[in-house]
Amino acid sequence: RDMIAIVDYGMGNLWSVEKAFRKMGYAVSVTRDGDEIARADAMVLPGVGAFGDCVRSLEELGLNEPIVRHIDDGTRFLGLCLGSQVLVERSEESPGMRGLGVFEGGVVKFSADSGGLKIPHMGWNNVRILKRAPHLRGVADGAHAYFVHSYYVECDLRELAATSTEYGDEFASSVWRDNVFATQFHPEADSDGFAVRIGIYRNSGYFAPRDADRLIKMCHAANVHAPQMILKNFVNKYRRG
């Protein structure tokens, strides 16, 4: 089986990400070992917290180079929330701190006059599909996803964004290029976005396509809002063959 490395740099929602993958029956290693990350078949970089703290932790643990090498080698990469922001070069949140530089550009804060909306942006919101990235196959345009953030990746939506979301400003809620897919939202915490979770994980190569498509259709047909139960039922059946 493919080994999925979840990068442990001392911050982030590691438990919920690990749990989501294990519930689907995948081999997961939560690790801060650079060699293990470089050898992994796929890598997940989660994150909750500040840009500067994340970058500093990655540097202190010597993980910057293995992560960038993993991406440059064409190996599957999935960034979640802060794990998407550190892919760019800089952030208004932490002036002077340099990100991984996988993508050009920076991270900016929601404007204070965003229509009277509260910052941080927290809760369920729609994602509008701009590009049919393979990770989004089977995901409905306008599906709901869960957000907790005050900053977002500023980019040309036509160039890098796979989905966008409105919160005062229209921002890139996911970015995609080649083997790299990263979301500002939390697919591991999804609700009626069952299709978002299954679609992204399946199309990242972590999920059997035929079984995933069947479950997505079941979800839409039944309007299911309990992805954990469906995932559990799927994994039990999948393990029996």
Side-chain angles (χ1 to χ4, degrees):
R1 293 188 298 173
D2 285 357
M3 172 56 69
I4 302 167
I6 299 176
V7 181
D8 174 12
Y9 53 95
M11 51 194 297
N13 48 332
L14 296 173
W15 180 82
S16 59
V17 176
E18 179 186 9
K19 180 181 177 183
F21 279 107
R22 291 199 184 280
K23 276 184 172 289
M24 291 186 287
Y26 293 101
V28 175
S29 174
V30 178
T31 180
R32 53 181 59 183
D33 184 303
D35 291 336
E36 186 173 8
I37 290 170
R39 291 194 306 269
D41 301 291
M43 178 175 63
V44 181
L45 183 63
V48 175
F51 182 96
D53 292 338
C54 174
V55 169
R56 191 176 297 109
S57 294
L58 291 174
E59 288 177 349
E60 290 174 354
L61 292 168
L63 295 178
N64 287 25
E65 194 274 335
I67 290 172
V68 173
R69 185 170 74 246
H70 175 106
I71 291 171
D72 288 345
D73 287 345
T75 312
R76 289 167 286 166
F77 176 94
L78 181 63
L80 304 178
C81 195
L82 186 59
S84 71
Q85 295 182 10
V86 296
L87 291 175
V88 297
E89 298 167 313
R90 59 192 177 275
S91 174
E92 289 182 352
E93 185 178 22
S94 307
M97 299 294 292
R98 178 172 173 78
L100 297 174
V102 175
F103 299 132
E104 294 181 355
V107 173
V108 298
K109 190 173 186 177
F110 285 110
S111 57
D113 58 350
S114 296
L117 297 171
K118 293 182 178 180
I119 301 172
H121 172 211
M122 182 167 61
W124 303 96
N125 204 344
N126 299 93
V127 293
R128 182 168 73 94
I129 295 177
L130 303 179
K131 291 191 185 77
R132 271 293 170 187
H135 310 78
L136 297 172
R137 189 169 62 244
V139 176
D141 190 22
H144 283 77
Y146 190 76
F147 294 84
V148 185
H149 64 120
S150 300
Y151 296 81
Y152 61 89
V153 173
E154 185 179 49
C155 66
D156 185 336
L157 296 178
R158 297 166 299 179
E159 292 292 326
L160 192 59
T163 64
S164 70
T165 296
E166 292 275 356
Y167 194 73
D169 306 318
E170 182 181 14
F171 66 94
S173 47
S174 68
V175 295
W176 168 54
R177 183 181 294 162
D178 301 325
N179 56 308
V180 176
F181 189 80
T183 68
Q184 182 59 64
F185 55 85
H186 291 270
E188 78 282 1
D190 217 69
S191 178
D192 80 327
F194 165 78
V196 173
R197 181 196 300 227
I198 295 299
I200 288 174
Y201 290 159
R202 182 270 317 269
N203 295 317
S204 295
Y206 305 141
F207 216 105
R210 184 171 60 184
D211 291 320
D213 289 340
R214 175 178 57 81
L215 286 174
I216 288 171
K217 289 177 182 177
M218 286 170 54
C219 175
H220 289 318
N223 194 25
V224 172
H225 293 266
Q228 292 289 347
M229 182 61 71
I230 295 176
L231 289 176
K232 181 178 180 180
N233 292 337
F234 167 77
V235 172
N236 289 340
K237 183 176 186 300
Y238 184 74
R239 284 175 174 163
R240 291 199 299 269

